[in-house]
Amino acid sequence: MTSEENNDASDWHLEALKDYTSIYADEHVSSLPFHEPQYELFPQVHNIDELVPFEGQIFNSDDDAYDFYSLFARKNGFSIRRDHVYRSCIHESEHNPMGVYKREFVCHRGGIVKQRKINEVESKRKRKSSKCNCMAKMLVAKRTIDLEEKWVITYFNNYHNHDLLDDKEVQFLPAYRNIPIADQSRILLLSKAGCAISLITRVLELEKGIDTGSLPFLDKDIRNFIQSQSSIGKENDASDVLKLCKSLKDIDDDFKYEFTIDENNKLEHIIWAFGDSIRAYETFGDVVVFDTTYRINRYDMPLGLWVGVDNHGNSIFFGCVLLRDEKIPSFTWALKNFLAFVQGKYPKTILTDQDLALKEAIAMELPNTKHAFCIWHIVSKLSSWFSFALGSRYNDFKQEFHRIMLIGDFM
């Protein structure tokens, strides 16, 4: 008899009558094929924080109880998992064929590591377990309340034998690294467009206006998600991109996309923008960066991103375009369609790299917009432009250039 069952005083003698365990996946299941007496409710509990589990708390289902405990765990720096499942034939029914009447949810660091023999190859890949026999847990049991079946917390222990994580750390626990549905659509779209994992991550960060490395999931989670999807083959990517865009349009009427097909019936250009990005442009679209320095190695095609900055200095993602080449007609097509998406609202200033074809396209399509070159593109090319010509004087020139640039930042 375990320590947690001592706290469920009303049924400890039943647990002692017969105890045998079956293993289902990663759950330990205790099965009792005998009658269980009717339980009395816990006394009414008052002045309890509604966000903290307490003994006697009632839920409509065991899943509701798990979700509530999981939310509490995330806010307090740990995660939980399902552990023991208790079964009894008396509880078997059409809706409960397994006869489950009690469940145990434990801290993700609960339990101990079982030692087993491993060969030399496995030992190289073995990862250190996080289990440290933490006893924090919550038990819920089925009760009949007003002729309805409910689930009640019968035991709750929130004492941990390990450090709890802060808000930034806890999001990277495996239990919380779920990719939201909205992000899944974006990831699939970018993946089908040929974007590498690093570029997909950067686009998502720009969309959310967060710092690098602040997504609630990791690069490997994105990779695993993409691999879990079917028909990722290159030969189907073009048609899959269009199918994804159509499905996104069906879900969100504000989602915009446009494309062209070449003479060989192959996808030539495609541009898209999400509804929230277009709405952000209405407010923060006065200054826009059109970054075309990304290149999709999978197809050897340039990817252009429209990015802005909000009033808190956070980057905002406005739109994305995949082009066949970096020629004037391609850039012209991209600019025209982006302006159509934002209902003809011209940016007051647009920043780009020093691409001459893009410069010509902007002059034609955005005649009243101020065009400037991004300073980081200029700085990255200083060495190739001036180091040979200036020779030993290049370092002095570079220091003076940066000094003047810093002065400009504070003016």
Side-chain angles (χ1 to χ4, degrees), residues 4 41 80 113 119 222 256 268 271 313 318 353 355 360 390 392:
E4 65 273 15
L41 288 178
I80 62 171
V113 182
N119 57 42
I222 297 177
K256 307 290 185 184
E268 185 177 30
I271 180 175
F318 293 141
D353 64 359
D355 190 286
E360 290 294 327
L390 296 178
S392 61

Side-chain angles (χ1 to χ4, degrees), residues 250-263:
D250 292 339
I251 298 172
D252 178 11
D253 191 55
D254 291 331
F255 176 80
K256 307 290 185 184
Y257 75 102
E258 190 57 72
F259 63 94
T260 60
I261 303 295
D262 64 15
E263 62 276 6

Side-chain angles (χ1 to χ4, degrees), residues 76-94:
N76 287 272
F78 66 102
S79 66
I80 62 171
R81 57 181 169 83
R82 292 175 171 86
D83 200 56
H84 288 85
V85 177
Y86 299 86
R87 298 191 301 133
S88 171
C89 60
I90 195 66
H91 290 282
E92 293 179 3
S93 65
E94 180 181 353

